[in-house]
Amino acid sequence: MKKLVIGILAHVDAGKTTLTEAMLYRGGALKKLGRVDHQDSFLDSDVLERERGITIFSKQAVLPLEHTEITLLDTPGHVDFSSEMERTLQVLDYAVLVVSGTDGVQGHTLTLWKLLKRHRIPVFLFINKMDLPGADRSALTEDLKRKLDDRCVDFCETAESFYENAALCDENLLTRYLEQGTVSDEEIAALAARRGIFPCFFGSALKLDGVDGFLGGLERYTATHEYPAEFGAKIYKISRDAQGTRLTFLKVTGGNLKVKTLLTNRRDGVPGEKPWEEKVDQIRIYSGEKYRTPGEIPAGTVCAVTGLSRTRPGQGLGFESASEAPVLGPVLTYQVLLPEGTDPHGALLKLSQLAEEDPQLHIVWNEHLREIHLQLMGEVQLEILKRLILERFGLKVEFGQGGIVYRETIAAPVEGVGHFEPLRHYAEVHLLMEPGERGSGLQFGAACSEEVLSRNWQRLILTHLEERTHPGVLTGSPITDMKITLVAGRAHLKHTEGGDFRQATYRAVRQGLMTAESILLEPWYEFRLEIPAEFVGRAMSDLQRRSGVVSQPEHFGENAVLTGTAPVQTMRDYAMEVTSYTRGRGRLVCSLKGYEPCHNQDEAVAAVGYDSERDTENPADSVFCSHGAGYVIKWDQVRRHMHVNSEIIPAARDGDAVTEPHAAPRPSAAAGSLEQDEELKSIFERTYGPVERRKFTRPKKPDPSEREFSVQPRYSGPEYLLVDGYNIIFAWDELKKAAREDLDTARKLLSDILSNYQGFKKCAVILVFDAYKVPHGAGEISRYHNISVVFTKEAETADAYIEKVTNEIGKTHRVTVATSDAAEQLIILGHGALRLSADSFRAEVEQAEGEIASILSENRIKNRCPPFHRAVVKEPGSSLSQTEKDPAAPGSGDMTNH
């Protein structure tokens, strides 16, 4: 029999729990059909869930069908409990996404879709509430195709239309359909399993309409999963039963699991995690509140086990690795106000049990204020926690005025440097810190030669970057959306220890943040506000006053719908206000969009009152050694004292005054100097004693007339200019403005500019554009007038192509690379190429245009505007030249295909 684990997901109030109830009832697992509004649904068994009519905790139910046994996992739909839902995704074979037929695709629906795509989970869709007025099946299908994926196919159509639409989702399937006139269930199931098609079913769960067809579709169009013989398991939830027994919920992903099996996290590839071994006392397979206790279970089974005290959600056992960090995180923070006389440390220990069950519930202990703070998703979760703490621990807690969980990032690239050299210790680290895309988190890498710093030290530095949460300098909030690259460093053969690089790394990050322009980020909501049409003006005024961005209202009969984004801070109490002024006829639904720049950064920073200079636990200063004692150099003066020059930023600017003792600027390690020799001699003598110099005899100077010299030219052939196309486009304001309207126009404008530049400079120009995201792209090289235009192949970036070409031709030709990518500049410098930033390149282009204009003027050619201006600001009626294809180059097609 086929065994599947299927999760039910939805935006709140889409009818997710009602569908689960209907599936269990029609499948024969329930004798009586329960309802959420009657507070007797099978899976929403908790008192809090029945009172509020929402799912708070994920629940499990076993649904036996004719040829398939399905384990259903009902997950919370409310955004405040999204972390509970996200943890469940890691054990799913398939997901059922429930969409309301009257509301369509909503904000949280899109969030769920992105998470399912991230976890590569096959999806079936059930469009619910089709019995209600306003539910248009054809319009909903188009909405799903437009907002989710164009491979969403209506599986309730007639056979001919259904097979045709299914075949259009895959080229091979289409070929067989054209040959045979039909498509097999196995082919559709295989396509759905690899997310090549998304089956859509329509109906009404409350009235059991379409539920039987949906169950039949799950049996016909799902594939059996093959599991390895080696044991593996993925833990997705920690809970406690009514007696307080700790339950570890997991899915066996390989082999089998028996009672009294000894489980451990001890395996290769788990550094830094304390090993443990514990026995499984009992295996429970839950269905609602009831469970059975088998002695052994095979792979593919979801169960709860007792006897494990050191497990955590997201942990892998056996061959399974740990899960990725969750995307959704807490956005609000509250102080826990304990009853008078309560020991805060004892309360902290009890509350830690809740954090163990929900890792996204962050419990923070402020040692200086002796206060407990909770970080969570929303105010509904806050009310649930209050009840839960009272029922489980007997503590009647209150919560203080809530605040926002901020994040910090930087506005522009910066180099952070850190040096740690107290007596008999030594480490120096140079980091390139660059801003990343919103929501990208922290990314770490290395672009440091092993000749400068050995590989083991580089790995240690990357470990120190990843091992902790780095606070920002505006409010002390964690940093995010940043790429941090190790570009240089130094160790001492005798005195460097592992902890030295930890200190140098932390100080380098901190020094870079102190130097950079920091940006405060705050969480933003995507909202959907449905109100009577007469309140549209009031609502738009409210939302704009709350710093929201509102789209044009859409009217549906007597109601209007406003959508947009707004800061979480300003929207926290707006739902109650909407209910008040619309007399209960308005409805506000919010879902977390992510972090965006704070709408009132100066006010927020002042309110927090964080002083980065006084944060002794996160110093930005560096420690140097002189005459056997360490001394501290402030972060804003430390660069002149560094022993290594990464060449990203000069070690000391011309004209800088050096006032501190022992502050002579140090040159590059590769260059060597008398000052460095004296320093090394001093270190050597302190360690091994005085050095006796040998007498120096000046060698006889050779007679130049007796020797012949033959100087070979280093470079031959033409000079090459390689241009990182998109980097230049988005660095020059005129081209960036053009790119916003049409990227192809911006590419052609840059090509025109470079054609004029090449005609004047007579160098070989290669313009490189990224096309690494083009599926099955084989790369393309074409001629545009007098320059070469390259589109890279799939999975090859412009950086990689430029690096490859520079390495190939840089030994025999003079090569210049025009880009403002600091990491790329560092790499091509190592290949002997010259670097040219976007600003410097523009200055050269404008200088060339000036000389061209001067020549034209001397030849009495009038009424000709500069080529750069003409390329960017087109005259009315003018047209751009067409691209000429290079017949010898591989690939074909014009620039518009990219």
Side-chain angles (χ1 to χ4, degrees), residues 753-807:
I753 293 168
L754 294 179
S755 295
N756 294 323
Y757 181 82
Q758 193 281 336
F760 182 75
K761 289 290 189 177
K762 304 301 181 184
C763 57
V765 177
I766 303 176
L767 176 59
V768 186
F769 291 107
D770 275 313
Y772 67 96
K773 290 186 178 180
V774 177
H776 313 297
E780 177 187 325
I781 304 174
S782 60
R783 292 292 295 177
Y784 185 87
H785 298 319
N786 52 349
I787 68 173
S788 297
V789 180
V790 177
F791 286 97
T792 62
K793 61 185 178 183
E794 182 183 12
E796 182 183 46
T797 63
D799 296 355
Y801 181 91
I802 290 173
E803 180 184 353
K804 178 180 68 176
V805 173
T806 303
N807 189 39

Side-chain angles (χ1 to χ4, degrees), residues 355-374:
E356 184 182 60
E357 297 171 15
D358 183 0
Q360 292 306 95
L361 174 65
H362 295 176
I363 298 179
V364 181
W365 169 252
N366 190 316
E367 182 64 38
H368 298 293
L369 301 176
R370 296 181 62 80
E371 294 176 351
I372 301 174
H373 291 257
L374 290 182

Side-chain angles (χ1 to χ4, degrees), residues 653-664:
R653 298 174 181 175
D654 295 339
D656 283 351
V658 180
T659 56
E660 286 73 30
H662 316 290

Side-chain angles (χ1 to χ4, degrees), residues 387-402:
R387 287 276 299 274
L388 199 60
I389 293 170
L390 178 62
E391 292 175 3
R392 186 178 294 188
F393 308 121
L395 290 176
K396 191 174 182 180
V397 301
E398 299 292 339
F399 295 98
Q401 183 67 29

Side-chain angles (χ1 to χ4, degrees), residues 13 296-297 532 695 735 782 851:
D13 291 337
E296 181 180 358
I297 55 173
K695 293 184 178 180
L735 296 179
S782 60
E851 295 181 21

